[in-house]
Amino acid sequence: MSNITLPRRRLILMSAGLLTAAIAGCRSTDILNPDDGQSRAETTAALPMVNRLRQSRSLSSLSRSRPAEVAAIAQAKRMARAGEMSHLIGFNDSFGARMKGHGVPLPAAENIAAGQDSVERAVQAWIDSKRHLDNMLGGFNGLGVAVAWDSSSGNRPYWAMVLSA
């Protein structure tokens, strides 16, 4: 091998590695490092409200689920980053793949909201919506709730709730 080929080969391999890393970084399930310091206060505040609602219907209480919480944090951040309230953001997005990527036990459900200034108001908005209420009264065991703010649009809050088996 000549001296010219070895550096060129290294450059090609390094370029391929950088391209692979860049492409891998585009996956929606890689958005969140679960230990990034995001507050867990939203789940703590929402859990008693959801459990009171479930108990009023003779349903079992939910418990805090770390994977559901991580998935909720990721979804809230994705919506805030996009400035859009949507379950599916970006090309080829999949709810099932996101849940699986965060280790959320299936079946799972997701409630989202935007604009509410407190966890109490976000939970109430979900209670006032039949489909979201049905999710909260479903056969789930775990709960995670999160909020993230879109600073580019006046600090609008985006909320996500993930319920899991």
Side-chain angles (χ1 to χ4, degrees), residues 5-63:
T5 359
L6 185 56
R8 189 174 296 160
R9 186 173 181 209
R10 250 188 230 140
L11 181 61
I12 291 168
L13 290 173
M14 286 173 36
S15 297
L18 290 173
L19 179 61
T20 302
I23 291 169
C26 292
R27 290 187 31 226
S28 64
T29 54
D30 290 337
I31 287 174
L32 176 73
N33 172 355
D35 297 316
D36 71 350
Q38 172 76 28
S39 169
R40 308 300 184 252
E42 291 79 23
T43 301
T44 301
L47 194 56
M49 290 183 275
V50 174
N51 281 337
R52 277 191 301 276
L53 171 69
R54 290 176 61 87
Q55 290 163 359
S56 75
R57 311 281 175 98
S58 300
L59 297 170
S60 62
S61 293
L62 302 177
S63 59

Side-chain angles (χ1 to χ4, degrees), residues 12-165:
I12 291 168
L13 290 173
M14 286 173 36
S15 297
L18 290 173
L19 179 61
T20 302
I23 291 169
C26 292
R27 290 187 31 226
S28 64
T29 54
D30 290 337
I31 287 174
L32 176 73
N33 172 355
D35 297 316
D36 71 350
Q38 172 76 28
S39 169
R40 308 300 184 252
E42 291 79 23
T43 301
T44 301
L47 194 56
M49 290 183 275
V50 174
N51 281 337
R52 277 191 301 276
L53 171 69
R54 290 176 61 87
Q55 290 163 359
S56 75
R57 311 281 175 98
S58 300
L59 297 170
S60 62
S61 293
L62 302 177
S63 59
R64 171 185 239 124
S65 164
R66 180 71 175 140
E69 203 165 47
V70 169
I73 293 166
Q75 179 62 13
K77 286 183 174 185
R78 290 172 71 227
M79 291 187 300
R81 206 171 290 130
E84 173 184 356
M85 186 181 82
S86 178
H87 292 282
L88 303 177
I89 298 171
F91 178 71
N92 222 12
D93 194 2
S94 161
F95 173 76
R98 282 192 293 111
M99 294 303 109
K100 184 177 177 182
H102 291 297
V104 174
L106 300 177
E110 179 178 76
N111 289 347
I112 58 174
Q116 294 78 9
D117 61 2
S118 68
V119 68
E120 294 81 10
R121 289 187 182 180
V123 171
Q124 190 61 54
W126 291 321
I127 290 170
D128 294 341
S129 162
K130 173 140 177 46
R131 286 196 330 184
H132 295 105
L133 176 63
D134 289 346
N135 283 344
M136 291 188 292
L137 299 177
F140 299 108
N141 300 310
L143 178 76
V145 177
V147 63
W149 291 267
D150 175 8
S151 58
S152 68
S153 69
N155 235 14
R156 183 175 183 176
Y158 289 86
W159 296 88
M161 170 187 280
V162 173
L163 301 118
S164 65

